[in-house]
Amino acid sequence: MGRNGLRWPVSIIAFALGLTLLTGCAIDKGSALAADFEDDWAGTPDVAEIHTTDNNTLPFLGTASGVLILKDGTSADRVTELANKLREYVAGHDNTTGRITADGITFTVVADKTRAGKALALWHSLTDDHRVVTGDIKDAPWKEKTDRWEIKVTAVDSAGAMALFKDMMADGDQHQPLSKVTSLEVSTERGVRPSLRVETDFNDGFPAEAIAAYDAVVARYRVVGATLRRDRATGSAVSIVVANSADLDRAGELARTAAPTLGAAVKVTSDGGG
């Protein structure tokens, strides 16, 4: 009975008992998982920093992500060792994502041993490639498609960016492509001229005509910048900026002839905005 001899409803009693049982559990589950990640990896040799993010979706529900940022000069063997340990960690900690940053490349370490091994192998090849500046190999599940990747790489120049993209989209000379890639984007660093960004569509479609349009223009005129991609709605999109000295009409004609099915999706402008 409650105060004044009143009987408390059974539902209220059950709710009160439930709160009592949950007092030892974190209401902000994501924050608790992030704190656990920091505590568990603190003091690990060769780890310079630990960055975490949390997502508290509902009371007692949430997720967390932790990134181990390794010291400069950490050997490839040590990166492999830490990746294997992190794989075991995320396999034993539901709702926690683990990532490693080493030599400018960040990669997600998934619980599945085969997938984790392929991502690590791509990290190895990217860090050995002199054309690569930075990169991110990210686990990107989408709806029912759980085993998916999203990859972004920056290159030293436009020639390197195009070569990298083509290498990673095929059985290239240097990089073994990952299967089930949601998207791949390779670009030059911000401020680099000429600039280039080339990317697949959401379903990893190769932008063949977009690249053909670009190749046709760059073979004849100086290109200042370009964005080439496939798009689920339009198929492809091409934006090419040529130097002021170029014949703009002729450059546009070359691009549209090389990519006849793209039509209005091909845009060629001059560096002066013409």
Side-chain angles (χ1 to χ4, degrees), residues 64-75:
S65 178
V67 185
L68 304 179
I69 301 175
L70 305 191
K71 296 177 180 178
D72 292 341
T74 300
S75 70

Side-chain angles (χ1 to χ4, degrees), residues 233-264:
T234 63
S236 291
V238 181
S239 175
I240 301 172
V241 181
V242 295
N244 284 330
S245 58
D247 183 331
L248 186 59
D249 290 337
R250 178 57 179 157
E253 181 183 351
L254 287 170
R256 288 185 288 273
T257 299
T261 69
L262 299 187

Side-chain angles (χ1 to χ4, degrees), residues 23-45:
T23 53
C25 301
I27 293 179
D28 294 330
K29 182 66 173 179
S31 298
L33 291 172
D36 287 344
F37 188 94
E38 291 196 40
D39 289 342
D40 293 339
W41 290 92
T44 302

Side-chain angles (χ1 to χ4, degrees), residues 85-270:
K85 290 181 178 179
L86 186 54
R87 183 188 65 78
E88 294 174 356
Y89 182 89
V90 297
H93 292 75
D94 292 339
N95 300 316
T96 299
T97 299
R99 286 161 60 76
I100 289 176
T101 298
D103 287 342
I105 309 293
T106 301
F107 62 100
T108 301
V109 180
V110 297
D112 182 82
K113 187 174 183 178
T114 299
R115 291 187 71 224
K118 290 181 177 180
L120 179 61
L122 183 56
W123 172 85
H124 275 284
S125 64
L126 288 174
T127 54
D128 286 340
D129 193 326
H130 69 278
R131 300 168 298 188
V132 175
V133 180
T134 62
D136 192 337
I137 307 165
K138 184 178 181 181
D139 185 37
W142 183 72
K143 293 184 178 180
E144 75 283 358
K145 300 174 181 178
T146 56
D147 296 342
R148 306 283 283 180
W149 296 101
E150 180 182 279
I151 304 170
K152 293 184 179 182
V153 179
T154 59
V156 292
D157 53 32
S158 58
M162 182 61 76
L164 269 167
F165 184 84
K166 291 179 178 179
D167 189 288
M168 294 178 70
M169 282 297 295
D171 291 328
D173 296 331
Q174 189 163 353
H175 306 291
Q176 182 64 37
L178 296 178
S179 60
K180 300 180 179 179
V181 174
T182 297
S183 64
L184 168 65
E185 175 187 313
V186 183
S187 63
T188 51
E189 286 189 283
R190 186 187 298 269
V192 170
R193 300 275 287 225
S195 64
L196 175 65
R197 188 180 80 213
V198 55
E199 59 186 287
T200 63
D201 67 7
F202 193 66
N203 294 308
D204 197 27
F206 186 77
E209 282 196 283
I211 290 176
Y214 172 81
D215 287 343
V217 175
V218 80
R220 180 71 180 271
Y221 299 108
R222 185 168 70 87
V223 171
V224 176
T227 298
L228 319 171
R229 73 177 190 273
R230 279 186 57 89
D231 183 86
R232 284 184 296 170
T234 63
S236 291
V238 181
S239 175
I240 301 172
V241 181
V242 295
N244 284 330
S245 58
D247 183 331
L248 186 59
D249 290 337
R250 178 57 179 157
E253 181 183 351
L254 287 170
R256 288 185 288 273
T257 299
T261 69
L262 299 187
V266 178
K267 296 181 179 181
V268 181
T269 59
S270 72

Side-chain angles (χ1 to χ4, degrees), residues 6-17:
L6 296 177
R7 292 183 178 274
W8 292 107
V10 173
S11 60
I12 294 179
I13 295 173
F15 178 73
L17 289 173

